[in-house]
Amino acid sequence: MTEKTIPYKIYLEESEMPTAWYNLRADMINKPAPLLNPDTLKPMTAEDLAPVFCEELIKQELDDQTPYFEIPKEIHDFYKMYRPAPLVRAYCLEEKLQTPAKIYYKFEGNNTSGSHKLNSAIAQAYYAKKQGLKGVTTETGAGQWGTALSMACSYLGLDCKVFMVKCSYEQKPFRREVMRTYGASVTPSPSMETEVGRKILEKHPGTTGSLGCAISEAVEAATNLDGYRYVLGSVLNQVLLHQTIIGLETKAALDKYDIIPDIIIGCAGGGSNLGGLIAPFMREKIRGEKDYRIIAVEPASCPSLTRGTYAYDYCDTGMVCPLSKMYTLGSNYIPAANHAGGLRYHGMNPILSQLYHDGLMEAVSVKQTEVFAAAQEFARVEGILPAPESSHAIKVALDEAKKCKETGEAKTIVFGLTGTGYFDMYAYQKFNDGTLTDYIPTDEEIEKGLSGLPQIG
Ligand SMILES: *Cc1c(COP(=O)(O)O)cnc(C)c1O
């Protein structure tokens, strides 16, 4: 098929949308290590998890054998409001760069939450509702997850309590108002509402918070309230499972035009969009059917894959969650306050951690000023104002496309454009004013975070 026959946007028909999520663990030869109960250090059972998580989601979390989970009709119908998402051929960007590379991006920003998070929010809210719960609690960092969850909860008539990392709560008042418009209650974290919040405030007065603290507060609130469970927007295997809708659609769109990517790039915070995007491609790679370069991009200020350690760690600062084996900077690691975007989590999803450990995936870290420069370059030719998180992937896609210009190779690059940046104008303003700075933790700071790791195995 010649290039000109490929449209700017490859859309799937509704009837071509995937009807099942794909569980990559089923095909992994080295399975991710199990979650451990922090008290007994034995693998977490469904029973152990039941006070915190919804039943159906626990099944998904613990299942590393079933390859496909059918998407319930109610969720599939909700997906149709904003999916299938387009796979865009970045002709304008290619032209501007004068690169022989062919660049595609999967755009997940076409919904009010402004990101891919809604794909999992609706699934998690649906299972909570089906279990007959009153509501859910959660944390949010940059705010996309809280927004997505409040949208899903209001659609299904569930109560939604959001603990929002304090620095985001202050920097992004409009995010907060979107959540409240959808009926959620929003509390800045750390707060005085929970025991763990009060403890953290006592130890670190004036702290601007972290995802790890907010998770602890949300878990405590869920376990103390009757008819509530805790839900999480990233990191967990169930979230990665729901996000495979991204990769399955991407693969279906590429297959329509017989396009085989050489390089697949995604930003990595807790790993859900990246894991979802790469899942069907990684399947082929693991089975030896195809070979792809797969690149995770993380911020230099929170470099869990590139500078962290592969070990069991707590998922949260308050150490109330299960222990998870992952690449981590330590649950006490709090990224520098000058860090503007999301992607602030200290650890990484266990599936991606195992894949990276097995050499099936690469990782690079990028500095935030170069990330915003890439965002600007992209916005000016492709039109979309990207989220700072997504712009980490843009930065590396641009680098790879520029390399192709030097070598003359016409590689096919696919990256995940996870969302839009309309609520990140404070950070864009700092970039435009030239006051945005880079912060790279010293080896001592990384050491300090890792010294707090629990001693297991
Ligand atoms: C939350 C978020 C991310 C990072 O989360 P992952 O779980 O790593 O995907 C990336 N981009 C956007 C727009 C987000 O909202």
Side-chain angles (χ1 to χ4, degrees), residues 108-109 113-117 142-145 175 233-236 239 243 246 267-276 297 342-344 348-349 352 386-391 416-421 424:
E108 289 290 325
S113 80
S115 81
H116 64 284
K117 300 255 178 13
Q144 288 93 321
W145 168 245
R175 265 277 174 224
S234 182
V235 191
L236 297 176
V239 184
Q243 295 299 357
I246 303 172
C267 63
S272 73
N273 88 83
L274 176 70
V297 190
L343 312 180
R344 292 170 63 99
M348 183 57 59
N349 166 272
L352 291 182
E389 295 90 342
S390 324
S391 306
L417 187 66
T418 50
T420 48
D424 300 284

Side-chain angles (χ1 to χ4, degrees), residues 305-306 327 351-363:
L305 288 170
T306 51
Y327 275 86
I351 298 173
L352 291 182
S353 292
Q354 185 67 51
L355 293 170
Y356 179 63
H357 195 67
D358 290 342
L360 289 160
M361 180 177 101
E362 303 166 34

Side-chain angles (χ1 to χ4, degrees), residues 129-170:
K129 181 78 183 176
K130 206 173 139 212
Q131 195 177 323
L133 298 175
K134 277 189 226 154
V136 290
T137 70
T138 198
E139 79 299 322
T140 197
Q144 288 93 321
W145 168 245
T147 310
L149 188 68
S150 55
M151 289 171 71
C153 285
S154 67
Y155 180 78
L156 294 167
L158 275 174
D159 187 37
C160 179
K161 293 191 190 306
V162 180
F163 289 86
M164 186 170 187
V165 178
K166 193 180 270 166
C167 66
S168 297
Y169 185 89
E170 284 160 4

